[in-house]
Amino acid sequence: MSVENAPVVDVDEAAIPVEKKMYYRFESNDKKEFRVSELAIQQSETLNRLVEAMGYTSEDVENKPAIAIENIDGKTLKLVFQWCEHHKGEAIPVDDGSVPKIVEIPEFDAKLMDIDNGLLFKLIWAADYLNIVQLLNVSCKKVANMAQGKTPAQLRRVYLLPSDEEDEAAKRAAQEAQDPRAREVEEEFEERKRQGGNSFF
Amino acid sequence: MASTFPLFALPIKAAKKVFEHLEVIELIILSTRSTRTKHLVKSVKLPVPRIEFNAHLGCTISLSPRGDILFGLSEPEIDSIVPSTLRIRLNFSDAPSYFRKPGFFVREWLEHFMCIFNQPLVDARFGLGQYSRYTLEEACKLLEGLTIGRLSMYENASEIIRQFPIMDTLHVNKSDLEPDLSEDFIKKILLGNIPSVELIRAIPLDLNTLLMMNTIDIISHQPLLTDKELNTFLKLWLKGSNPNLQKLHLRYPGLHHRTFDKNVILRGIKNKEVNEEDFVLMNTSPIYYIKKRDGTLGQVYFDFPGFYFRTRP
C-alpha cells in the first residue's frame, strides 16, 4: 500500500496514557512562589538532592507548604528557574580541568543575563548556592567578558579589586569585630617581639 | 547598567570560576594586582609552561598553543632601575601587548611566573659567550636560589656547571675550538643523580662512565662504545647495573661507516626479535627484547647511526 492510499485515522489524544508531570513549589525569601518541573530541578544538584530527600508525592506538593529557599530573592529565583526550565533535560557538563574554559553563551542565556550587574551578582551567587553547573559557567563567562581589552588600571576598577593594603585592613577589621581581645593580644605580642623578648609566655 | 562588578564579594568558588574563563593575558594582568589575585590565578592551574632564561635573548615562556611571554630582552636590564617590560603574544600572528609593573624587574617577573604557572623549575640556556646579553655573573645573580630544570650550554661548560651544579636535565655542547672537558670534572658531574643527560660534544662517553651513571635518560653524541662493549653493557644491565636507566641513545654522527653487528651486541643474551610496524616505518632494525630476572624488559634497536636501548617495567 502506498503512503497516499493509507487510511487516515483520528487519534483521540485523551485515550493515550500520558505520564503525569511532577512539579515542585518553591518560595523565595521575599515570599514569592514558583512551580518548577521535576526535570528542570535536575539542573540544580542542591535542589535535586533536597526533593529526593524529602520524598514528596504529587499530593504532598499541593498540600504541604512550598519549599523555602531562604537566601535568594524572588527576582533572582525567577531567573534561575527560567534558566532551568529552558535547559531542562540537558546533560550537566563535567569539568575537564582545562583553562581557559571555552564556553559559548547561548542566545537565550544572553537575553536572560541582559540585566544589571547587581542582579548578575545575585544570579551567580544563586547558581553557586544551588549548584547549577552550566548556569554558573555562562554567568561567570559573562563576568569574564568584562575584562576583555582592559588595561590593568581599568581591570582594577571594573572588578573593584582591593589592593594588598585594603585586604589587610579588611582582615584586621574582621578580626577585631570577631574578637577585640585577640587583637590586643596580637599587638602585645608584636610589641614584645620588637622589644627582643624570646617568648610571649 | 553599572560598569563595575564586585568580583571578590562572590563566594570563592564562583570567583575562581570567573578566573577560569579569563584569557591568559587577563590572568597575568590580574595576577599582578594584589596577593589575593595572584593566589587565585595560581589556583586556576593554568597549563604549566617551560620557563627559560636564555643568556642571549632574556626570558621566554612558551604558551600553549602558539603564544609566548618575553621579558628581560633589552640590555642592561639586570641592573636597570627601570622596571622590565613584559611582551605577551597569545598568537604569533597577533600584535604583542606590552606592559610594566613598578618594582618588577627580570628576577621579580621570573619568580612571579614560576608562582602563578606552578612551575618550580627554570631552564637556563647559555650560547656562545660573545653574543650573550647576560654575562655568567649576571646570570648567576639573576637565577640565584632558583631551581634549575634544563641547563644547556654551547661553550664554557665547566664554568657554567660549577655555577649551577644541580639541575634536572644537563645538555652539554662545546664549540669546535674548545678542548674537551676535563674528564675528571665531567665524570664527577655525571656520577651525580642527574635525571637526564645529553652529551653532545663536550666529552666522549666510555663504558666505565656509562656503567657508573645513575641517570634515567642518557643521550650521547660522542660515544666510544664498541659492539663488544655494548654487549658487555647489556649483560651487566641484565645483572642489575644502571637500575634507574630508562632510555639510552648513543649516536655516532661523525662515524659514517659505523654499523652495528647485532650478533656481537647480543652474543650470549637470550632475546626475542619483533618487527613492530611503527619501527619498520621509521626504518630501524627490528626490536630485540631482552628480559631481566625481575621481569623488566629491555628493548634494543639500531638505526644508522644510533644505538637505542629502552626499558619497560
Side-chain angles (χ1 to χ4, degrees):
Chain A
M1 189 186 293
S2 68
V3 174
E4 288 81 8
N5 298 330
V8 177
V9 179
D10 286 329
V11 176
D12 179 7
E13 285 187 7
I16 300 172
V18 177
E19 197 181 331
K20 201 175 175 187
K21 281 185 183 171
M22 177 85 172
Y23 282 84
Y24 291 94
R25 287 162 53 229
F26 294 95
E27 190 180 77
S28 62
N29 61 5
D30 50 359
K31 307 291 174 202
K32 296 221 169 79
E33 199 177 299
F34 300 89
R35 282 171 69 88
V36 189
S37 71
E38 188 180 23
L39 202 54
I41 292 300
Q42 287 171 7
Q43 288 294 325
S44 161
E45 195 186 324
T46 308
L47 293 182
N48 201 30
R49 282 192 182 173
L50 182 70
V51 296
E52 267 179 26
M54 291 172 110
Y56 269 21
T57 62
S58 308
E59 288 74 36
D60 289 336
V61 170
E62 295 307 327
N63 300 333
K64 291 187 176 177
I67 302 166
I69 301 178
E70 299 286 356
N71 26 17
I72 304 176
D73 63 32
K75 204 172 172 186
T76 311
L77 212 49
K78 185 180 173 189
L79 289 174
V80 169
F81 289 141
Q82 274 179 349
W83 188 93
C84 289
E85 288 292 356
H86 185 82
H87 292 280
K88 66 186 171 194
E90 289 179 11
I92 294 166
V94 179
D95 192 348
D96 62 359
S98 65
V99 178
K101 302 264 178 250
I102 313 289
V103 169
E104 289 286 324
I105 302 179
E107 199 182 334
F108 174 86
D109 296 11
K111 277 187 187 161
L112 186 91
M113 293 190 295
D114 190 12
I115 49 182
D116 65 62
N117 285 352
L119 190 52
L120 180 63
F121 177 88
K122 287 181 181 176
L123 182 66
I124 294 177
W125 200 98
D128 179 56
Y129 177 70
L130 299 174
N131 209 350
I132 306 172
V133 176
Q134 186 58 5
L135 178 57
L136 189 61
N137 273 338
V138 290
S139 52
C140 288
K141 173 71 178 172
K142 175 154 172 132
V143 176
N145 287 346
M146 294 175 191
Q148 279 176 1
K150 298 284 190 297
T151 64
Q154 286 169 331
L155 272 181
R156 188 186 282 283
R157 280 198 298 276
V158 168
Y159 287 143
L160 301 172
L161 300 175
S163 63
D164 280 343
E165 294 73 30
E166 287 165 333
D167 270 338
E168 196 54 44
K171 194 175 155 192
R172 269 202 306 274
Q175 275 173 352
E176 277 168 15
Q178 200 175 21
D179 183 2
R181 176 64 193 144
R183 180 68 195 154
E184 283 170 29
V185 171
E186 199 178 312
E187 278 172 1
E188 202 178 328
F189 176 70
E190 290 298 325
E191 181 58 31
R192 288 196 184 201
K193 243 180 31 179
R194 271 196 295 277
Q195 288 169 0
N198 290 331
S199 169
F200 179 63
F201 298 102
Chain B
M1 187 182 285
S3 58
T4 58
F5 188 91
L7 189 57
F8 281 134
L10 284 173
I12 189 69
K13 185 182 143 202
K16 191 178 163 193
K17 186 66 87 179
V18 172
F19 272 52
E20 287 173 358
H21 286 88
L22 291 164
E23 288 292 341
V24 175
I25 193 162
E26 291 147 1
L27 287 172
I28 291 169
I29 293 172
L30 281 172
S31 71
T32 63
R33 298 297 88 192
S34 71
T35 308
R36 187 143 57 128
T37 54
K38 179 176 153 183
H39 287 147
L40 203 51
V41 171
K42 182 179 167 68
S43 76
V44 163
K45 293 205 165 42
L46 285 158
V48 182
R50 280 182 59 186
I51 298 179
E52 182 182 273
F53 161 76
N54 185 321
H56 283 210
L57 299 173
C59 296
T60 58
I61 300 172
S62 301
L63 298 175
S64 176
R66 285 160 40 81
D68 58 12
I69 302 170
L70 288 87
F71 54 97
L73 305 177
S74 58
E75 52 188 329
E77 293 220 37
I78 189 80
D79 287 321
S80 172
I81 53 165
V82 180
S84 179
T85 304
L86 208 60
R87 195 190 82 169
I88 307 174
R89 278 188 307 185
L90 291 186
N91 273 305
F92 291 142
S93 53
D94 293 347
S97 306
Y98 297 88
F99 76 95
R100 285 177 172 166
K101 179 174 166 61
F104 267 53
F105 302 92
V106 184
R107 168 74 184 212
E108 283 74 21
W109 279 123
L110 259 181
E111 287 180 3
H112 185 77
F113 286 121
M114 289 172 80
C115 171
I116 64 168
F117 284 118
N118 297 287
Q119 171 55 279
L121 306 174
V122 57
D123 296 346
R125 183 192 290 259
F126 295 88
L128 298 174
Q130 58 179 319
Y131 304 113
S132 281
R133 283 213 168 103
Y134 294 81
T135 63
L136 184 56
E137 193 188 353
E138 286 171 333
C140 291
K141 190 176 163 191
L142 180 67
L143 302 174
E144 191 182 357
L146 300 180
T147 310
I148 304 296
R150 181 186 167 89
L151 178 68
S152 45
M153 63 218 68
Y154 294 86
E155 67 172 22
N156 197 17
S158 52
E159 196 50 43
I160 293 168
I161 294 170
R162 264 192 205 99
Q163 298 296 336
F164 300 100
I166 298 170
M167 74 297 288
D168 212 37
T169 297
L170 175 65
H171 175 106
V172 192
N173 205 341
K174 72 176 186 67
S175 62
D176 290 335
L177 299 173
E178 257 192 307
D180 280 347
L181 287 174
S182 137
E183 206 166 309
D184 287 346
F185 171 76
I186 195 74
K187 277 186 180 172
K188 266 188 208 163
I189 301 296
L190 296 181
L191 301 185
N193 290 324
I194 306 170
S196 178
V197 172
E198 298 168 12
L199 298 169
I200 309 302
R201 289 187 296 178
I203 186 173
L205 180 68
D206 58 32
L207 178 62
N208 284 336
T209 310
L210 174 61
L211 290 171
M212 286 189 287
M213 289 171 76
N214 192 27
T215 299
I216 294 167
D217 187 352
I218 304 170
I219 298 174
S220 169
H221 284 223
Q222 217 178 334
L224 296 175
L225 285 78
T226 61
D227 286 358
K228 200 173 169 198
E229 286 173 318
L230 290 173
N231 174 263
T232 307
F233 164 74
L234 293 175
K235 281 178 175 166
L236 290 172
W237 178 77
L238 287 168
K239 286 184 178 171
S241 156
N242 298 78
N244 292 323
L245 182 65
Q246 289 177 8
K247 219 161 84 181
L248 170 67
H249 181 186
L250 304 177
R251 288 180 59 82
Y252 295 79
L255 302 174
H256 296 298
H257 60 279
R258 179 73 163 103
T259 54
F260 298 94
D261 185 344
K262 72 138 182 137
N263 293 322
V264 175
I265 293 171
L266 296 170
R267 183 173 295 153
I269 299 172
K270 196 175 166 189
N271 68 84
K272 187 180 171 190
E273 182 179 325
V274 177
N275 280 296
E276 287 190 9
E277 199 177 322
D278 289 351
F279 284 79
V280 172
L281 289 173
M282 283 158 53
N283 205 18
T284 68
S285 71
I287 299 178
Y288 302 96
Y289 282 90
I290 61 176
K291 196 174 182 180
K292 263 183 173 179
R293 278 196 186 157
D294 66 3
T296 309
L297 283 177
Q299 294 178 324
V300 179
Y301 56 98
F302 326 102
D303 81 347
F304 178 78
F307 167 88
Y308 297 82
F309 175 70
R310 284 200 301 202
T311 65
R312 277 190 185 173

